[in-house]
Amino acid sequence: MEFKKAIYYMLLSTLAFTVMNGLLKFLTTYSAYQLVFFRALGSLFFTFGYLLSKGIPVLGTHRKLLVLRGLVGSTSMVLFFMAIHYIPLGSAVGMRYIAPIFAAIFAILLLRENVRPIQWLFFLISFLGVIVLKGFDKNIPLIGLALVLVSSVFSGLVYIIIRRIGSREHPVVIVNYFMCIAVIVGGIGAIFDWKTPVGIDWFLLLSLGVFGYFGQLFMTKAFQMGETNLIAPLKYLEVFFAVIVGIVFLGEEYYVWSFVGMAMIIGGLLLNLWYKQRLLRKRLS
């Protein structure tokens, strides 16, 4: 029963993130900074409400790390939102998933962790998938590729910072810091290119934070209830859903090589996940 609930929550999470990403692409008449501002503002309503209702200290205890996580995460978000202005939604979501490659590199440099040679092979498969996407998909300009890759670098660094924080902070405290800093970063950046929303755009912009928050919430619940190696692969359905949204609702065009590249990215990451779980089982046996 717990496993079924975990699958249910992960599917809800991927759908919530897909709707959020679809809205981002639909709202690209607004600057990336303005989208970041509204994305974070909509989530703060839930994070602050949760912390206050539970009596959890909003400021936390490891404030330097929390601020650093917020700054790095906000930078990654701004760059990804910029990338969506240039490249198809499915391709952007797919390429952002190479963040674990950069997380592994940072883990070696900063945490002195070891990565097995076969894991580098899996990462190479994923990175070659990015090259296939760029090389054969004429809808991906160089600037869009650069933005999504640098966004992935910062996203990989976020993983390392969160691991340094560990369980010493409540997860919602970490997210709340991220959203607070993102509101500031997005707000300051949007000042120079502000476009006042009209009509339903107000609702759609604020909805970004709602879907983003529940996507994060359902994903957390899924990992709490199910084994990582069984639940994590469902997360990659987000790429599949993003492609469908792009084709059906946004009129995007994809090529056969686009799907080959995405499959290579996801395949390499799934192989790495499988290998890590295999190593973990050996240690525990």
Side-chain angles (χ1 to χ4, degrees), residues 21-33:
N21 289 327
L23 288 173
L24 285 171
K25 188 68 175 179
F26 180 74
L27 294 166
T28 49
T29 53
Y30 297 92
S31 72
Y33 285 104

Side-chain angles (χ1 to χ4, degrees), residues 36-223:
V36 167
F37 174 77
F38 280 103
R39 157 70 175 93
L41 187 65
S43 291
L44 278 178
F45 173 81
F46 297 99
T47 56
F48 264 119
Y50 180 88
L51 294 175
L52 294 175
S53 66
K54 300 294 183 181
I56 300 171
V58 173
L59 294 178
T61 53
H62 300 79
R63 294 167 191 170
K64 289 183 179 179
L65 280 175
L66 289 167
V67 170
L68 181 61
R69 186 267 182 265
L71 288 172
V72 174
S74 297
T75 302
S76 177
M77 185 189 292
V78 169
L79 292 170
F80 180 66
F81 286 11
M82 286 180 176
I84 287 180
H85 283 69
Y86 293 97
I87 58 182
L89 182 62
S91 300
V93 172
M95 286 193 287
R96 199 187 190 196
Y97 273 119
I98 67 168
I101 299 176
F102 300 113
I105 295 172
F106 286 127
I108 293 172
L109 296 176
L110 303 177
L111 303 180
R112 298 294 185 264
E113 292 186 1
N114 293 319
V115 175
R116 304 292 180 91
I118 194 171
Q119 288 180 271
W120 289 116
L121 174 61
F122 299 150
F123 290 150
L124 178 62
I125 292 172
S126 293
F127 199 78
L128 287 175
V130 175
I131 295 175
V132 168
L133 265 176
K134 175 63 183 83
F136 294 96
D137 191 338
K138 64 182 181 181
N139 291 323
I140 302 178
L142 185 59
I143 185 173
L145 175 66
L147 286 168
V148 77
L149 287 181
V150 178
S151 171
S152 298
V153 171
F154 280 96
S155 184
L157 185 55
V158 165
Y159 296 157
I160 302 303
I161 298 171
I162 290 177
R163 285 171 63 182
R164 289 294 296 269
I165 295 173
S167 59
R168 296 177 293 175
E169 298 286 357
H170 193 284
V172 180
V173 172
I174 299 174
V175 174
N176 193 62
Y177 260 85
F178 176 25
M179 293 298 103
C180 285
I181 293 173
V183 163
I184 296 171
V185 171
I188 293 174
I191 291 174
F192 305 99
D193 191 20
W194 180 264
K195 176 183 175 183
T196 303
V198 292
I200 197 174
D201 281 6
W202 282 105
F203 172 76
L204 297 178
L205 285 164
L206 290 171
S207 294
L208 293 173
V210 177
F211 286 108
Y213 173 80
F214 282 103
Q216 190 72 43
L217 175 66
F218 291 140
M219 183 175 65
T220 302
K221 286 181 175 291
F223 282 123

